[in-house]
Amino acid sequence: MWWRSEAGRCPRGGWLATLVAAIVMLTCLSASGQRRVTPVTPLEPGVSAPKPKAEEFDKSRLAERLDADGNVLLVDTVTGKEYVDSTLLKAPPKMEFPLLHEVVAGLNIWDPAMRAFGQKYGLADVWAELSMHNRYFPFIAAGLGNCDDAPSDQNFRFKTPLSPYFKIGASYNFLYNSNPDYRLQMGLRYGFTSYKWSLEDVTVDEGYWNEPSHFALTDQKSTAGYLEVTLGIKVKIVKGFSMGWTIVYHSILHETKNPYGQPMYIPGYGKRNGSITGNFSLMYTIPLNKKRGQEVE
């Protein structure tokens, strides 16, 4: 049986099914938009909230890796995350001596000693260094050098008047937690000098007339900078006095160009024909702070 409405004909019961479907749809939409709330039991007075659990991971997929400081890191091979195992961390090194430990003043008498054996150049220098934890030693030096040498295999006399030179650098003591009266240290220094030099009695053999001629180059100005790598030891003599020996490898970094050639001698450096030299110093130590034997953070 059919019935008619303004919208047209519709099977009997069709409007009822449509109404039911609309109610069901509205109910589902309302349920999906509703927020779910987990009930929380109120805390009793004086009771703190529980701490969140640490992130869990599968230890079977961890691999060990060393960082730049030598500590062991555990790396998750799946996620790439890194974990630090506190039981594998290296303990920080202990410094048995304070930061400002002592000041050492020295007199380098290598060149004066060598002059007693016929050396024609060099003079002396004074230097000082600060002991930091008996491990690191900032260094500064100032000295005077000169030269007056006529090499037997050359046809000239080379002269340099008294000229100043300066050095700055630092060294490292390998025995930093041992007795500071004895040291084994390696250092790096930069030296600089500004000086004048001359060539005198330069002899030129004419050959044909067999009559030699002479000329001179005077008041030539020059500057030079050089690098020193040192390896030395220190030994206590008595009370605050010590002595030390140092082997020096040096190399010229820069110098003034001269149209007449390179000078034979550089103040503070020595003759340019050798890369290895040495130092011998007498030292006096001025203590600043006593040994503390405490770990430095």
Side-chain angles (χ1 to χ4, degrees), residues 65-294:
R65 183 181 69 83
L66 295 179
D67 65 4
D69 298 325
N71 297 315
V72 179
L73 300 180
L74 302 178
V75 183
D76 192 323
T77 56
V78 176
T79 64
K81 291 184 177 180
E82 296 181 347
Y83 305 90
V84 178
D85 189 345
S86 60
T87 62
L88 301 177
L89 291 177
K90 287 187 174 181
K94 292 183 178 180
M95 300 295 184
E96 300 292 341
F97 299 89
L99 175 62
L100 301 179
H101 175 222
E102 58 189 19
V103 173
V104 181
L107 173 64
N108 179 17
I109 59 173
W110 175 270
D111 283 340
M114 292 297 100
R115 284 206 161 191
F117 293 94
Q119 181 175 288
K120 303 296 184 181
Y121 59 89
L123 196 56
D125 60 52
V126 293
W127 55 266
E129 60 185 6
L130 173 65
S131 172
M132 303 174 64
H133 295 309
N134 192 41
R135 189 174 189 178
Y136 309 104
F137 293 83
F139 172 92
I140 188 171
L144 294 172
N146 73 331
C147 180
D148 186 357
D149 190 13
S152 58
D153 58 343
Q154 300 293 334
N155 61 339
F156 60 85
R157 175 179 292 274
F158 182 90
K159 286 187 176 183
T160 299
L162 282 178
S163 304
Y165 60 87
F166 306 93
K167 298 180 183 180
I168 188 171
S171 60
Y172 179 87
N173 178 23
F174 295 99
L175 307 177
Y176 58 89
N177 276 344
S178 301
N179 189 342
D181 295 334
Y182 305 92
R183 296 204 310 255
L184 173 63
Q185 59 191 69
M186 189 171 187
L188 192 67
R189 303 170 185 172
Y190 170 78
F192 178 82
T193 182
S194 178
Y195 62 105
K196 293 182 179 181
W197 57 276
S198 302
L199 289 179
E200 300 180 358
D201 298 331
V202 181
T203 303
V204 179
D205 189 357
E206 294 293 340
Y208 181 80
W209 299 104
N210 200 23
E211 294 181 2
S213 60
H214 304 275
F215 70 94
L217 296 174
T218 59
D219 293 334
Q220 302 296 309
K221 296 181 180 180
S222 184
T223 61
Y226 47 90
L227 178 71
E228 293 185 344
V229 181
T230 65
L231 179 64
I233 61 174
K234 171 193 172 184
V235 178
K236 181 178 179 180
I237 303 175
V238 60
K239 293 185 178 181
F241 292 93
S242 304
M243 61 183 179
W245 297 265
T246 304
I247 299 175
V248 181
Y249 167 81
H250 54 192
S251 177
I252 300 173
L253 298 178
H254 58 86
E255 64 178 325
T256 303
K257 293 183 179 180
N258 191 293
Y260 300 106
Q262 299 171 327
M264 182 181 69
Y265 166 80
I266 300 174
Y269 181 90
K271 285 191 174 181
R272 63 189 314 125
N273 58 356
S275 58
I276 302 294
T277 184
N279 290 330
F280 176 75
S281 294
L282 297 178
M283 316 173 201
Y284 182 76
T285 300
I286 304 172
L288 298 179
N289 293 291
K290 295 181 180 180
K291 177 180 178 180
R292 61 180 181 176
Q294 296 177 353

